[in-house]
Amino acid sequence: MRSRISEKESLKRAFRDAYFAKERKGAGNEFRSNVMRRIRQIGPLKANVGFWPAFEHLMWRLVPVSCLLVLVLTVALVTMDFDHSHDYLGTVTADLEKPTLTELFGFEG
């Protein structure tokens, strides 16, 4: 991904001129303030316009995290000890049975 500074020709030209002017005039406090004044006169860089550049930037930040998460979950799944004698479906169906009022108040006969 290219830097926004390298895409701005006027900023590159200002840095180049400042570098060559430094050799000619010598480096002093006044020189540095003049250089910074010239850079500020250029103004801010244009913002990236559009959805896809921002989405691509976000996506490439999430790729390593996603890969690491898939790897960790795969290792956890492989090392997990499954008990084949336990009835997982029976546990779910027992939780789905709704209690009646007689069970709640203990009026079973």
Side-chain angles (χ1 to χ4, degrees):
M1 182 177 218
R2 288 181 51 187
S3 172
R4 289 174 43 194
I5 292 176
S6 65
E7 295 173 1
K8 186 86 171 174
E9 287 300 322
S10 60
L11 190 59
K12 284 175 34 177
R13 193 176 326 112
F15 281 137
R16 192 179 310 118
D17 292 343
Y19 180 76
F20 289 129
K22 179 181 176 183
E23 292 177 354
R24 286 179 289 199
K25 294 181 182 177
N29 288 335
E30 184 179 327
F31 171 77
R32 290 181 182 158
S33 62
N34 288 338
V35 169
M36 291 308 295
R37 186 179 317 111
R38 286 177 56 195
I39 291 172
R40 284 189 203 103
Q41 287 172 354
I42 293 171
L45 300 175
K46 289 189 305 186
N48 283 345
V49 183
F51 169 75
W52 292 112
F55 178 74
E56 181 181 6
H57 180 70
L58 177 68
M59 183 195 67
W60 283 113
R61 292 178 114 190
L62 291 176
V63 165
V65 175
S66 301
C67 290
L68 184 65
L69 185 63
V70 166
L71 184 67
V72 166
L73 290 176
T74 303
V75 168
L77 185 65
V78 168
T79 59
M80 200 179 284
D81 185 29
F82 292 108
D83 186 15
H84 297 291
S85 64
H86 186 71
D87 184 20
Y88 293 106
L89 189 58
T91 305
V92 172
T93 56
D95 289 338
L96 293 177
E97 293 177 3
K98 294 181 181 177
T100 60
L101 285 176
T102 56
E103 292 174 356
L104 289 175
F105 293 115
F107 294 134
E108 291 185 33

